[in-house]
Amino acid sequence: MSAMRKIIPITLAGLSALAATGAQALPVYESKEVALYIQGYFTAHQINIMGSTEMIDGASRLGFNLDVPAYKHWNVGFNIEWGLLLVSPNREIIISGDQQAEPGEQADPLYVRQGHAYAKHEFWGDFAAGKQWAVYYDVAGITDWYNVSGGLASGAFALGSDGGITGTGRADAALTWRKDWKGLGGEFQIGLQYAAHAADLDIQAEGARGPDTLLVCPPEDCEYGLARGASLTYKLDVGDGLFLGTAYNRVNLDLFTDKGLLFDISDPNFPILIRDDEVINASSNDFAFIGGVAYGTGAFQKGLYAAFNWHRSHNNELAPPSTTMGATNFFNAIGSESFVSWTWGAFNCYSVYGGHNLLKSHDDEIFEEALVTGDKYRLGYYFGGFNFQWNERVRIYLEGGKDDSNDVAQSPGDFIAAGIRVDI
């Protein structure tokens, strides 16, 4: 990820959602037995954030899709996609006094974005297994079209990640099934998702044994457990197309431990150990609900495209460091996103676009130590931009963001960026 993307999650879909992104797959080999495609793009921005200018990586990626016709109208294959950091050398030199430390990796220049196998059938639907776009993203993705930023407030990219563990973004180790059918003047699609033991939990949880208690959960003892998700979308043949969708995702937080430490934090400055030898079961859950509506052929397509989504979540966001009382705290949130583009000109090459991302805490008491009026978390951005589609594979863009966040959110601030994207 780039410096900006560490705070603002990666946007746009990958190999498993080519139609959603407008990305093009390039055939490498085709026969009656097998087809191999390569897909991806390079993108980079010259960005100014609060007066500091640098060139950074965008969400560049490279992927392959192998598709094989199978028995009785089935198609099977796999998608694999890597994210790429290509612009920066991705190293840092640490100077401590007069001693120079060894250079260390800031981030992996090649990282997995997706990797899954699939089987598709016109009647039975589409099955997939592995790291892939979540069914939750079937709705969250309608506003995730900005070239530089976006995806901050839909609940998809939870916990400051790609949403893999929660199963809301690029879901880890997930089993999915999607099936569509026509009716009532449009097309319905249902999506179901399942994952087990998504990740270990190494956290501190307040209220585990009543008020003023803190459970310190040791590594490899507590876990993100079963995850389940579902989505329902409806594309109506009205004008240029009307999309309606809703999705729900739930993960068990299994805080079951016989090794955890339980503290009395009545005085947060002097926690008192209560017990360290008793089984503690303080399990909870992480859920996110989203609804969305969109109109138009698609983002950066001819004419108007307008999309809006709204979400509510529980334990699906993490408080930034130093904004709470030292514990790693989940918090409940409500959020909304919008994206609007108008496209015109020869070959539909000109687009202006804009919208917003707004995420707010819904249980403000955990931020009571934060030095901000109202004890709230508020992350807000308003975006505007211009997109020039030079040809079918090259776009040039200008995008700016106005930061409307409070101090608790610790956002990077206003930005303006000029960039280029080159598709394979």
Side-chain angles (χ1 to χ4, degrees), residues 117-134:
Y118 64 82
K120 299 182 179 183
H121 190 278
E122 184 176 355
F123 178 78
W124 296 108
D126 298 351
F127 300 83
K131 186 170 179 64
Q132 58 186 290
W133 285 111

Side-chain angles (χ1 to χ4, degrees), residues 168-229:
T168 50
R170 294 193 297 275
D172 291 346
L175 301 171
T176 62
W177 172 71
R178 291 175 171 91
K179 167 66 178 170
D180 54 61
W181 68 94
K182 296 185 181 297
L184 300 177
E187 183 176 270
F188 290 90
Q189 178 181 276
I190 186 171
L192 300 176
Q193 180 176 309
Y194 172 88
H197 186 73
D200 292 331
L201 267 172
D202 183 5
I203 69 166
Q204 301 175 39
E206 292 188 21
R209 274 291 185 269
D212 299 324
T213 61
L214 175 70
L215 169 66
V216 178
C217 201
E220 301 180 0
D221 202 33
C222 300
E223 67 171 7
Y224 267 80
L226 294 180
R228 290 142 292 184

Side-chain angles (χ1 to χ4, degrees), residues 166-394:
T166 57
T168 50
R170 294 193 297 275
D172 291 346
L175 301 171
T176 62
W177 172 71
R178 291 175 171 91
K179 167 66 178 170
D180 54 61
W181 68 94
K182 296 185 181 297
L184 300 177
E187 183 176 270
F188 290 90
Q189 178 181 276
I190 186 171
L192 300 176
Q193 180 176 309
Y194 172 88
H197 186 73
D200 292 331
L201 267 172
D202 183 5
I203 69 166
Q204 301 175 39
E206 292 188 21
R209 274 291 185 269
D212 299 324
T213 61
L214 175 70
L215 169 66
V216 178
C217 201
E220 301 180 0
D221 202 33
C222 300
E223 67 171 7
Y224 267 80
L226 294 180
R228 290 142 292 184
S231 66
L232 178 63
T233 64
Y234 179 40
K235 297 177 182 178
L236 185 62
D237 296 329
V238 173
D240 290 330
L242 179 65
F243 171 94
L244 302 172
T246 186
Y248 179 79
N249 189 83
R250 183 185 182 97
V251 189
N252 292 346
L253 303 182
D254 295 328
L255 308 184
F256 182 87
T257 176
D258 57 2
K259 304 175 184 176
L261 304 179
L262 190 67
F263 293 88
D264 182 331
I265 55 171
S266 300
D267 184 345
N269 296 316
F270 298 98
I272 301 172
L273 179 63
I274 301 174
R275 61 176 65 94
D276 60 0
D277 59 354
E278 181 177 326
V279 172
I280 298 173
N281 186 355
S283 298
S284 185
N285 64 79
D286 169 340
F287 75 75
F289 167 82
I290 191 170
V293 58
Y295 176 82
T297 305
F300 306 122
Q301 301 298 309
K302 182 179 180 180
L304 174 68
Y305 175 78
F308 176 86
N309 67 42
W310 176 90
H311 106 277
R312 180 167 181 170
S313 60
H314 174 75
N315 289 337
N316 199 52
E317 304 291 342
L318 274 183
S322 77
T323 58
T324 60
M325 298 166 56
T328 302
N329 279 311
F330 295 106
F331 69 91
N332 303 336
I334 54 175
S336 63
E337 297 183 0
S338 64
F339 178 90
V340 179
S341 68
W342 177 262
T343 302
W344 77 98
F347 308 106
N348 301 313
C349 60
Y350 304 108
S351 299
V352 291
Y353 63 94
H356 86 289
N357 282 188
L358 178 61
L359 181 69
K360 298 188 294 184
S361 57
H362 197 57
D363 52 352
D364 305 324
E365 64 272 10
I366 79 163
F367 296 105
E368 60 188 7
E369 298 298 305
L371 301 179
V372 32
T373 304
D375 301 326
K376 294 179 182 290
Y377 174 101
R378 174 191 169 93
L379 178 67
Y381 266 96
Y382 298 95
F383 303 110
F386 175 78
N387 192 85
F388 174 61
Q389 196 71 38
W390 197 350
N391 60 38
E392 64 177 359
R393 298 190 182 277
V394 180

Side-chain angles (χ1 to χ4, degrees), residues 11-24 39 41 61 114 133-134 137-146 178 189 235 243 297-301 305 339 395 421 423:
T11 62
L12 302 178
L15 276 171
S16 65
L18 292 176
T21 62
Q24 301 179 53
Q39 182 270 340
Y41 59 79
R61 76 280 307 266
Q114 296 196 54
W133 285 111
Y137 194 80
D138 293 349
V139 180
I142 64 174
T143 57
D144 193 16
W145 283 101
Y146 296 100
R178 291 175 171 91
Q189 178 181 276
K235 297 177 182 178
F243 171 94
T297 305
F300 306 122
Q301 301 298 309
Y305 175 78
F339 178 90
R395 73 169 65 169
R421 166 173 157 170
D423 287 59

Side-chain angles (χ1 to χ4, degrees), residues 400-422:
K402 176 64 177 176
D403 190 355
D404 190 33
S405 309
N406 65 8
D407 293 340
V408 175
Q410 300 182 1
S411 59
D414 300 345
F415 74 89
I416 186 167
I420 185 170
R421 166 173 157 170
V422 182

